[in-house]
Amino acid sequence: LVFASAIGLQTPASAQQTVTFQIGAFLPKGEGGRVEGDVLAIDRQYLLFDVGDFNGLLVGGDWSFALGRYIEASVGFGYYQATAPAVYAEWVNEDGSEIEQDLQLRIMPATALVRWLPRGARAAFQPYVGGGLGVYFWRYRETGEFLATDESIYSAAYEQSGTSVGPVAVFGLRGLVSPAAMIGVEGRYQWGQGDL
């Protein structure tokens, strides 16, 4: 969910443009929504961690422009990063302390969207729905202590990054607070998959 504040730029009505600043939460699928072979599902077989720890702050911005009275297009970019602490479920260090790791996920989505505003872009109160395409620049990292096949413990950092492409669905509600500024809320559902 995104809390958005928008500022209208001084342009003719036929070329109305908006810059939107967003702050909200990024909520990855929970443990029950993960597919077979998902890295977090595999990690849960031998590590103890809370998938909810990957819920985190999302910041971003969009540049929108009118394609008519009821349609607008936008391009935007965001940033999210969260870390989940983890420990081995069935093994400990020789001194009895936990074998600890940090699992870190970072996603920087770049999006191209089209929104339909059934009440029009000039209405004081503007519900909307839309969709588009996202390019997700991601990095997944595991750092800390690891258990080798001979049951020795070693410190390491494993990291992989990549780019995924997937659809985005949006719905929201915004309202004018002045002739040149709006405030609103928006929900986005994004799909993306990366191979590790």
Side-chain angles (χ1 to χ4, degrees):
L1 293 175
V2 176
F3 169 78
S5 176
I7 300 170
L9 302 177
Q10 297 299 322
T11 58
S14 61
Q16 185 177 3
Q17 300 178 47
T18 305
V19 176
T20 306
F21 303 99
Q22 304 160 339
I23 185 165
F26 181 76
L27 312 171
K29 285 185 180 179
E31 183 179 349
R34 313 231 55 100
V35 298
E36 185 178 337
D38 181 277
V39 69
L40 298 182
I42 292 170
D43 283 349
R44 293 278 297 169
Q45 295 174 9
Y46 61 93
L47 293 176
L48 298 174
F49 63 93
D50 185 356
V51 175
D53 286 341
F54 286 103
N55 296 344
L57 179 70
L58 170 73
V59 294
D62 277 349
W63 173 62
S64 304
F65 49 94
L67 296 178
R69 184 174 177 186
Y70 299 101
I71 303 290
E72 74 176 22
S74 70
V75 292
F77 192 75
Y79 181 88
Y80 149 86
Q81 181 172 297
T83 301
V87 296
Y88 274 81
E90 299 179 6
W91 296 275
V92 294
N93 284 300
E94 288 182 0
D95 63 3
S97 62
E98 299 285 3
I99 303 172
E100 299 177 331
Q101 292 183 13
D102 283 329
L103 312 178
Q104 184 182 79
L105 177 62
R106 181 184 72 195
I107 302 173
M108 295 184 294
T111 56
L113 304 172
V114 175
R115 292 178 182 85
W116 175 59
L117 298 92
R119 299 190 68 206
R122 295 186 186 147
F125 176 70
Q126 303 171 9
Y128 60 87
V129 295
L133 193 64
V135 179
Y136 311 107
F137 304 95
W138 56 268
R139 182 187 76 185
Y140 178 73
R141 183 176 180 158
E142 297 182 357
T143 60
E145 298 176 308
F146 294 83
L147 187 67
T149 53
D150 64 1
E151 297 192 2
S152 63
I153 297 168
Y154 66 98
S155 295
Y158 297 102
E159 178 180 314
Q160 191 160 359
S161 59
T163 304
S164 302
V165 177
V168 182
V170 299
F171 58 93
L173 182 62
R174 64 191 186 196
L176 294 172
V177 293
S178 79
M182 296 181 276
I183 194 166
V185 293
E186 180 177 274
R188 292 188 181 195
Y189 195 85
Q190 305 175 115
W191 296 263
Q193 178 177 316
D195 293 327
L196 295 174

